[in-house]
Amino acid sequence: MPRRLIKVTPSRLATWVDCPRRFRMAYLDRPTPPRGGAWAHSTLGAVVHNALRAFFDLPVARRTPEAAAALVGQHWSDEGFAGPTQAAEYRTRAAGWVADYVAEIDVSIEPVGLERWVSAPVGTIVAEGRVDRIDVRDGEVVIVDYKTGRSALTTDDARSSQALALYVLAARRTLRKPCTRVELHHLPSGTVAAWEHTEESLARHRTRAEEAAEEFHLATDTLNAGGDADVLFPAQVGRQCSWCDFRRSCPEGQAAGPAAEPWAMLVP
């Protein structure tokens, strides 16, 4: 019998590589262990993403910087912030980022995808995920990913992003158009990091994804057959333990260092 393809998303692959124990807790353990509280940087990123999605749903005549800033306020949440004062500061900053961003781009574009789910069989996996924005330029699909992290991004970040490469592979099949270009739009700095993939660079990303998928698939099958969870899904201790959602259920992670404050990873 032909082997069933393994479904993968960028977050699932990244979690496995980052820490197999966190992978088990997030995707296999039932009931799922309790997660930690909200993170301010995640709230901020979600607000910006939602505001930009809503912005491109507006008629072109209403796509103004003022409208973009107002959408940040409409989608705002204080979850994870130190208090109302800090939340208000970042609400204002986020509104400014989004307003400045749309002031510098062609707002008349009509993306073919906003928060669009793409999925396609690729080799031994099914690559899938949700893309922030998909443009069509000169007949070719372009993958756009919004970022709100602490640092501006580089061409190397765009080139090395496995998530963006998998989106390219999936979008090609989903939309049936050529696709090689990926872009990271970092709103706090107003910069764009871009990369044009080749078939060779995409093949390298696909191979790494297939290898990781095979590893967690084998570990899962062995666990289901009665294998030792701690052996198959060991904790990978590091700085990431400070902000792990499952820290309270992982003694090794707790011993690695103090927990980070929920607002510790905000743009300074």
Side-chain angles (χ1 to χ4, degrees):
M1 292 288 293
R3 181 169 179 177
R4 189 175 67 178
L5 301 180
I6 306 169
K7 287 188 177 183
V8 302
T9 62
S11 60
R12 186 174 288 243
L13 290 168
T15 301
W16 170 257
V17 172
D18 188 49
C19 179
R21 177 173 292 176
R22 183 156 64 92
F23 178 95
R24 192 200 78 214
M25 291 180 175
Y27 298 111
L28 303 179
D29 286 356
R30 295 295 180 270
T32 303
R35 295 176 181 266
W39 294 94
H41 70 282
S42 297
T43 297
L44 181 65
V47 167
V48 168
H49 281 70
N50 290 335
L52 287 170
R53 178 183 60 191
F55 177 81
F56 282 105
D57 281 337
L58 294 173
V60 172
R62 293 176 54 196
R63 294 178 188 173
T64 64
E66 294 76 18
L71 286 167
V72 170
Q74 291 177 30
H75 289 89
W76 188 257
S77 168
D78 287 357
E79 288 190 354
F81 289 90
T85 300
Q86 187 188 60
E89 175 193 345
Y90 278 89
R91 182 173 65 245
T92 299
R93 292 173 71 173
W97 297 342
V98 173
D100 290 346
Y101 174 73
V102 303
E104 295 296 325
I105 64 173
D106 178 7
V107 298
S108 68
I109 63 172
E110 295 295 346
V112 296
L114 295 169
E115 301 291 334
R116 177 161 179 171
W117 185 264
V118 293
S119 178
V122 181
T124 62
I125 61 175
V126 177
E128 52 188 26
R130 194 176 303 279
V131 186
D132 293 345
R133 194 176 91 211
I134 305 176
D135 296 344
V136 174
R137 305 176 198 165
D138 299 324
E140 295 197 2
V141 168
V142 178
I143 303 296
V144 175
D145 197 41
Y146 302 128
K147 295 296 183 184
T148 57
R150 294 170 63 89
S151 304
L153 301 164
T154 67
T155 299
D156 191 57
D157 292 312
R159 177 192 62 79
S160 62
S161 170
Q162 186 175 71
L164 294 182
L166 292 179
Y167 292 153
V168 167
L169 294 170
R172 285 178 169 184
R173 293 287 297 272
T174 302
L175 300 174
R176 301 189 181 282
K177 290 182 181 294
C179 180
T180 57
R181 184 175 177 86
V182 298
E183 296 179 352
L184 294 169
H185 293 204
H186 186 250
L187 274 77
S189 65
T191 59
V192 174
W195 180 255
E196 293 281 351
H197 274 292
T198 64
E199 296 308 311
E200 290 75 17
S201 65
L202 290 170
R204 288 193 293 271
H205 278 290
R206 190 190 82 180
T207 297
R208 284 195 290 271
E210 289 176 326
E211 290 172 347
E214 178 63 30
E215 289 173 0
F216 72 65
H217 183 72
L218 177 60
T220 302
D221 282 351
T222 307
L223 178 67
N224 291 337
D228 188 317
D230 290 334
V231 173
L232 295 167
F233 298 89
Q236 188 155 306
V237 176
R239 292 178 59 249
Q240 70 275 10
C241 296
S242 295
W243 55 83
C244 178
D245 286 338
F246 298 106
R247 176 183 172 85
R248 68 178 71 178
S249 300
C250 181
E252 292 89 340
Q254 295 173 32
E261 297 287 2
W263 52 89
M265 288 180 283
L266 287 168
V267 176

Coordinates of all heavy atoms in Angstrom, one line a residue, residues 7-70:
K7 N 0.7 15.4 6.9 CA 0.3 16.8 6.8 C 1.2 17.6 7.7 O 1.4 17.2 8.9 CB -1.2 16.9 7.3 CG -2.2 16.5 6.2 CD -3.6 16.9 6.7 CE -4.6 16.5 5.6 NZ -6.0 16.9 6.0
V8 N 1.7 18.7 7.2 CA 2.6 19.5 8.0 C 2.2 21.0 7.8 O 1.7 21.4 6.7 CB 4.1 19.4 7.6 CG1 4.5 17.9 7.8 CG2 4.4 19.8 6.2
T9 N 2.3 21.8 8.9 CA 2.2 23.2 8.8 C 3.6 23.8 9.3 O 4.3 23.1 10.0 CB 1.1 23.7 9.7 OG1 1.4 23.4 11.1 CG2 -0.3 23.2 9.3
P10 N 3.9 25.0 8.9 CA 5.1 25.6 9.4 C 5.2 25.6 10.9 O 6.3 25.3 11.5 CB 5.1 27.0 8.8 CG 4.3 26.9 7.6 CD 3.3 25.9 7.9
S11 N 4.1 25.9 11.6 CA 4.2 25.9 13.1 C 4.4 24.5 13.7 O 5.1 24.4 14.7 CB 2.9 26.5 13.6 OG 1.8 25.7 13.3
R12 N 3.8 23.5 13.1 CA 4.1 22.1 13.6 C 5.5 21.7 13.4 O 6.1 21.2 14.3 CB 3.1 21.2 12.8 CG 3.2 19.8 13.3 CD 2.1 18.9 12.6 NE 0.8 19.3 13.0 CZ -0.1 18.4 13.7 NH1 0.3 17.2 14.0 NH2 -1.3 18.8 14.0
L13 N 6.1 22.0 12.2 CA 7.5 21.7 12.0 C 8.4 22.5 12.9 O 9.4 21.9 13.5 CB 7.8 22.0 10.5 CG 7.2 21.1 9.5 CD1 7.4 21.7 8.1 CD2 7.8 19.7 9.5
A14 N 8.1 23.8 13.1 CA 9.0 24.6 13.9 C 8.9 24.1 15.4 O 9.9 24.1 16.1 CB 8.6 26.1 13.8
T15 N 7.7 23.7 15.8 CA 7.6 23.2 17.2 C 8.4 22.0 17.4 O 9.1 21.8 18.4 CB 6.1 23.0 17.5 OG1 5.4 24.2 17.4 CG2 6.0 22.5 19.0
W16 N 8.3 21.1 16.4 CA 9.1 19.8 16.6 C 10.6 20.1 16.7 O 11.3 19.5 17.5 CB 8.8 18.9 15.4 CG 9.7 17.7 15.3 CD1 10.8 17.5 14.5 CD2 9.7 16.5 16.2 NE1 11.4 16.3 14.7 CE2 10.8 15.7 15.8 CE3 8.9 16.1 17.2 CZ2 11.0 14.5 16.4 CZ3 9.1 14.9 17.8 CH2 10.2 14.1 17.4
V17 N 11.1 20.9 15.8 CA 12.5 21.3 15.8 C 12.9 22.0 17.1 O 14.0 21.8 17.6 CB 12.9 22.1 14.5 CG1 14.3 22.6 14.6 CG2 12.7 21.3 13.3
D18 N 12.1 22.9 17.5 CA 12.3 23.7 18.7 C 12.4 22.8 20.0 O 13.3 22.9 20.8 CB 11.3 24.8 18.8 CG 11.6 25.8 19.9 OD1 12.8 26.3 19.9 OD2 10.7 26.1 20.8
C19 N 11.4 22.0 20.1 CA 11.3 21.1 21.3 C 10.3 20.0 21.1 O 9.1 20.2 21.1 CB 10.9 22.0 22.6 SG 10.7 21.0 24.1
P20 N 10.8 18.8 21.0 CA 9.8 17.6 20.8 C 8.8 17.5 22.0 O 7.7 17.1 21.7 CB 10.8 16.4 20.8 CG 12.1 17.0 20.2 CD 12.2 18.3 20.9
R21 N 9.2 17.8 23.2 CA 8.2 17.7 24.3 C 7.1 18.7 24.1 O 5.9 18.4 24.3 CB 8.8 18.0 25.6 CG 7.8 17.9 26.8 CD 8.4 18.0 28.1 NE 9.2 16.8 28.4 CZ 9.9 16.6 29.5 NH1 10.0 17.5 30.4 NH2 10.6 15.4 29.7
R22 N 7.4 19.9 23.7 CA 6.3 20.9 23.4 C 5.5 20.5 22.3 O 4.2 20.7 22.3 CB 7.0 22.3 23.1 CG 5.9 23.4 22.9 CD 6.5 24.7 23.2 NE 7.6 25.1 22.3 CZ 7.4 25.8 21.1 NH1 6.2 26.1 20.8 NH2 8.4 26.1 20.4
F23 N 6.1 19.8 21.3 CA 5.3 19.2 20.2 C 4.3 18.2 20.7 O 3.1 18.3 20.3 CB 6.2 18.6 19.2 CG 5.6 17.9 18.0 CD1 5.4 18.6 16.8 CD2 5.0 16.6 18.1 CE1 4.8 18.0 15.7 CE2 4.4 16.0 17.0 CZ 4.3 16.7 15.8
R24 N 4.7 17.3 21.6 CA 3.8 16.3 22.1 C 2.7 17.0 22.9 O 1.5 16.6 22.7 CB 4.6 15.4 23.0 CG 3.8 14.1 23.4 CD 4.5 13.5 24.6 NE 4.1 14.2 25.9 CZ 4.8 14.3 26.9 NH1 6.1 13.9 26.9 NH2 4.4 15.0 28.0
M25 N 3.0 17.9 23.7 CA 2.0 18.6 24.5 C 1.0 19.3 23.7 O -0.2 19.3 23.9 CB 2.6 19.5 25.5 CG 3.4 18.8 26.6 SD 4.2 20.0 27.8 CE 4.9 18.8 29.0
A26 N 1.5 20.0 22.6 CA 0.6 20.8 21.8 C -0.3 20.0 20.8 O -1.5 20.3 20.6 CB 1.4 21.8 21.0
Y27 N 0.3 18.9 20.3 CA -0.4 18.2 19.2 C -0.9 16.8 19.5 O -1.8 16.2 18.8 CB 0.5 18.1 18.0 CG 0.8 19.5 17.4 CD1 2.1 20.0 17.5 CD2 -0.1 20.3 16.8 CE1 2.5 21.2 17.1 CE2 0.2 21.6 16.4 CZ 1.5 22.0 16.5 OH 1.8 23.3 16.0
L28 N -0.4 16.2 20.6 CA -0.7 14.8 20.8 C -1.4 14.5 22.2 O -2.3 13.7 22.2 CB 0.6 13.9 20.8 CG 1.4 14.0 19.5 CD1 2.7 13.1 19.6 CD2 0.6 13.5 18.3
D29 N -0.9 15.2 23.2 CA -1.5 14.9 24.5 C -3.0 15.3 24.6 O -3.4 16.4 24.2 CB -0.7 15.7 25.6 CG 0.6 15.1 25.9 OD1 0.9 14.0 25.3 OD2 1.4 15.7 26.7
R30 N -3.8 14.4 25.1 CA -5.2 14.6 25.3 C -5.6 14.2 26.7 O -5.4 13.0 27.0 CB -6.0 14.0 24.2 CG -5.8 14.5 22.8 CD -6.2 16.0 22.7 NE -6.0 16.6 21.4 CZ -4.9 17.2 21.0 NH1 -3.9 17.3 21.9 NH2 -4.8 17.7 19.8
P31 N -6.1 15.0 27.5 CA -6.4 16.4 27.2 C -5.1 17.2 27.1 O -4.1 16.8 27.7 CB -7.2 16.9 28.5 CG -6.8 16.0 29.6 CD -6.5 14.7 28.9
T32 N -5.1 18.3 26.4 CA -3.9 19.2 26.2 C -3.6 19.8 27.6 O -4.4 20.3 28.3 CB -4.2 20.3 25.2 OG1 -4.6 19.7 24.0 CG2 -3.0 21.1 25.0
P33 N -2.3 19.7 28.0 CA -1.9 20.4 29.2 C -2.2 21.8 29.2 O -2.3 22.5 28.1 CB -0.4 20.2 29.2 CG -0.1 19.0 28.4 CD -1.2 19.0 27.3
P34 N -2.5 22.4 30.4 CA -2.8 23.8 30.4 C -1.7 24.7 29.9 O -0.6 24.5 30.1 CB -3.0 24.1 31.9 CG -2.3 23.0 32.6 CD -2.4 21.8 31.7
R35 N -2.2 25.7 29.1 CA -1.2 26.7 28.5 C -1.1 27.9 29.4 O -1.9 28.1 30.3 CB -1.7 27.1 27.1 CG -1.7 26.0 26.1 CD -2.3 26.5 24.8 NE -2.4 25.5 23.8 CZ -1.5 25.3 22.8 NH1 -0.4 26.1 22.8 NH2 -1.6 24.3 21.9
G36 N 0.0 28.6 29.2 CA 0.2 29.8 29.9 C -0.8 30.9 29.4 O -1.6 30.7 28.5
G37 N -0.6 32.1 30.0 CA -1.5 33.2 29.6 C -1.1 33.8 28.3 O -0.2 33.4 27.6
A38 N -1.8 34.9 27.9 CA -1.5 35.6 26.7 C -0.2 36.3 26.7 O 0.3 36.8 27.8 CB -2.6 36.6 26.4
W39 N 0.4 36.5 25.5 CA 1.7 37.2 25.3 C 1.4 38.5 24.6 O 0.7 38.5 23.6 CB 2.7 36.4 24.6 CG 3.1 35.2 25.3 CD1 2.6 33.9 25.2 CD2 4.2 35.1 26.2 NE1 3.3 33.1 26.1 CE2 4.3 33.8 26.7 CE3 5.1 36.1 26.8 CZ2 5.2 33.4 27.6 CZ3 6.0 35.7 27.7 CH2 6.1 34.3 28.1
A40 N 1.9 39.6 25.1 CA 1.6 40.9 24.5 C 2.0 41.0 23.1 O 1.3 41.5 22.2 CB 2.3 42.0 25.4
H41 N 3.2 40.4 22.8 CA 3.7 40.5 21.4 C 2.8 39.7 20.4 O 2.7 40.1 19.3 CB 5.2 40.0 21.3 CG 5.4 38.6 21.5 ND1 5.4 38.0 22.7 CD2 5.6 37.6 20.6 CE1 5.6 36.7 22.6 NE2 5.7 36.4 21.3
S42 N 2.2 38.6 20.9 CA 1.3 37.8 20.1 C 0.0 38.6 19.9 O -0.5 38.6 18.7 CB 1.0 36.5 20.7 OG 2.2 35.7 20.8
T43 N -0.5 39.2 20.9 CA -1.7 40.1 20.8 C -1.4 41.2 19.8 O -2.2 41.4 18.9 CB -2.0 40.7 22.1 OG1 -2.4 39.6 23.1 CG2 -3.2 41.6 22.0
L44 N -0.3 41.8 19.9 CA 0.1 42.9 19.0 C 0.1 42.4 17.5 O -0.4 43.1 16.6 CB 1.4 43.5 19.4 CG 2.0 44.7 18.6 CD1 1.1 45.9 18.7 CD2 3.4 45.0 19.0
G45 N 0.8 41.3 17.3 CA 0.9 40.8 16.0 C -0.5 40.4 15.4 O -0.8 40.7 14.2
A46 N -1.4 39.8 16.2 CA -2.7 39.4 15.7 C -3.5 40.7 15.4 O -4.2 40.7 14.4 CB -3.4 38.6 16.8
V47 N -3.4 41.7 16.2 CA -4.1 43.0 15.9 C -3.7 43.5 14.6 O -4.6 43.9 13.7 CB -3.9 44.0 17.0 CG1 -4.4 45.4 16.6 CG2 -4.6 43.5 18.3
V48 N -2.4 43.6 14.3 CA -1.9 44.2 13.1 C -2.4 43.4 11.9 O -2.8 43.9 10.9 CB -0.4 44.3 13.1 CG1 0.2 44.6 11.7 CG2 0.0 45.4 14.1
H49 N -2.3 42.0 12.0 CA -2.7 41.2 10.9 C -4.2 41.4 10.6 O -4.6 41.5 9.5 CB -2.4 39.7 11.3 CG -1.0 39.3 11.1 ND1 0.0 39.7 11.9 CD2 -0.4 38.4 10.2 CE1 1.1 39.2 11.5 NE2 0.9 38.4 10.5
N50 N -5.0 41.4 11.7 CA -6.5 41.6 11.5 C -6.8 42.9 10.9 O -7.7 43.0 10.1 CB -7.2 41.4 12.8 CG -7.2 39.9 13.3 OD1 -7.0 39.0 12.5 ND2 -7.3 39.7 14.6
A51 N -6.1 43.9 11.3 CA -6.4 45.3 10.8 C -6.0 45.3 9.3 O -6.8 45.9 8.5 CB -5.6 46.3 11.6
L52 N -4.9 44.7 8.9 CA -4.5 44.8 7.5 C -5.5 43.9 6.6 O -5.7 44.2 5.5 CB -3.1 44.3 7.3 CG -2.1 45.4 7.8 CD1 -0.7 44.8 7.8 CD2 -2.1 46.6 6.9
R53 N -5.9 42.8 7.2 CA -6.9 42.0 6.4 C -8.2 42.8 6.2 O -8.7 42.8 5.1 CB -7.2 40.7 7.2 CG -8.3 39.8 6.5 CD -8.6 38.6 7.3 NE -9.1 39.0 8.6 CZ -9.3 38.2 9.7 NH1 -9.0 36.9 9.5 NH2 -9.8 38.6 10.8
A54 N -8.6 43.5 7.2 CA -9.8 44.3 7.1 C -9.6 45.4 6.2 O -10.5 45.9 5.5 CB -10.3 44.7 8.5
F55 N -8.4 46.0 6.2 CA -8.1 47.1 5.3 C -8.3 46.8 3.9 O -8.9 47.5 3.1 CB -6.7 47.6 5.6 CG -6.2 48.7 4.7 CD1 -6.6 50.0 5.0 CD2 -5.5 48.5 3.6 CE1 -6.1 51.1 4.2 CE2 -5.0 49.5 2.8 CZ -5.4 50.8 3.1
F56 N -7.8 45.6 3.4 CA -7.9 45.2 2.0 C -9.3 44.7 1.7 O -9.6 44.5 0.5 CB -6.8 44.2 1.7 CG -5.4 44.8 1.5 CD1 -4.5 44.7 2.5 CD2 -5.2 45.6 0.4 CE1 -3.2 45.3 2.3 CE2 -3.9 46.2 0.2 CZ -2.9 46.0 1.1
D57 N -10.1 44.6 2.7 CA -11.5 44.2 2.4 C -12.3 45.5 2.1 O -13.5 45.4 1.6 CB -12.1 43.5 3.6 CG -11.8 42.0 3.6 OD1 -11.4 41.5 2.5 OD2 -11.8 41.4 4.6
L58 N -11.8 46.7 2.4 CA -12.5 47.9 2.2 C -12.5 48.3 0.7 O -11.5 47.8 -0.1 CB -11.8 49.1 2.9 CG -11.8 49.1 4.4 CD1 -10.9 50.2 5.0 CD2 -13.2 49.2 5.0
P59 N -13.5 49.0 0.2 CA -13.4 49.6 -1.2 C -12.1 50.4 -1.3 O -11.7 51.1 -0.3 CB -14.6 50.4 -1.3 CG -15.6 49.9 -0.2 CD -14.7 49.4 0.9
V60 N -11.5 50.4 -2.5 CA -10.3 51.1 -2.7 C -10.4 52.6 -2.2 O -9.4 53.1 -1.6 CB -9.9 51.1 -4.2 CG1 -8.7 52.0 -4.5 CG2 -9.6 49.6 -4.6
A61 N -11.5 53.3 -2.5 CA -11.6 54.7 -2.2 C -11.5 54.9 -0.7 O -11.2 56.0 -0.2 CB -12.9 55.2 -2.7
R62 N -11.8 53.9 0.2 CA -11.7 54.1 1.6 C -10.4 53.6 2.2 O -10.3 53.6 3.4 CB -12.9 53.3 2.2 CG -14.3 53.9 1.9 CD -15.4 53.1 2.5 NE -15.2 52.9 3.9 CZ -15.9 51.9 4.6 NH1 -16.7 51.1 4.0 NH2 -15.7 51.8 5.9
R63 N -9.5 53.1 1.4 CA -8.2 52.6 1.9 C -7.2 53.7 2.2 O -6.3 54.0 1.4 CB -7.6 51.6 0.9 CG -8.5 50.3 0.8 CD -7.9 49.4 -0.3 NE -8.8 48.3 -0.6 CZ -8.6 47.3 -1.5 NH1 -7.4 47.4 -2.3 NH2 -9.4 46.4 -1.7
T64 N -7.4 54.4 3.3 CA -6.6 55.5 3.6 C -5.8 55.2 4.9 O -6.1 54.3 5.6 CB -7.4 56.7 3.9 OG1 -8.2 56.5 5.1 CG2 -8.3 57.1 2.7
P65 N -4.7 55.9 5.1 CA -3.9 55.7 6.4 C -4.8 55.9 7.6 O -4.6 55.1 8.6 CB -2.8 56.7 6.3 CG -2.6 56.9 4.8 CD -4.0 56.8 4.2
E66 N -5.7 56.8 7.5 CA -6.6 57.0 8.7 C -7.5 55.8 9.0 O -7.7 55.5 10.1 CB -7.4 58.3 8.5 CG -6.6 59.6 8.4 CD -5.8 59.8 7.1 OE1 -6.2 59.1 6.1 OE2 -4.9 60.6 7.1
A67 N -8.0 55.3 7.9 CA -8.8 54.1 8.0 C -8.0 52.9 8.6 O -8.5 52.2 9.4 CB -9.4 53.7 6.7
A68 N -6.8 52.8 8.1 CA -6.0 51.7 8.6 C -5.7 51.8 10.1 O -5.8 50.9 10.9 CB -4.6 51.7 7.9
A69 N -5.4 53.1 10.6 CA -5.2 53.3 12.0 C -6.4 53.0 12.8 O -6.3 52.4 13.9 CB -4.7 54.7 12.2
A70 N -7.6 53.4 12.3 CA -8.8 53.2 13.0 C -9.1 51.7 13.1 O -9.6 51.2 14.2 CB -10.0 53.8 12.3

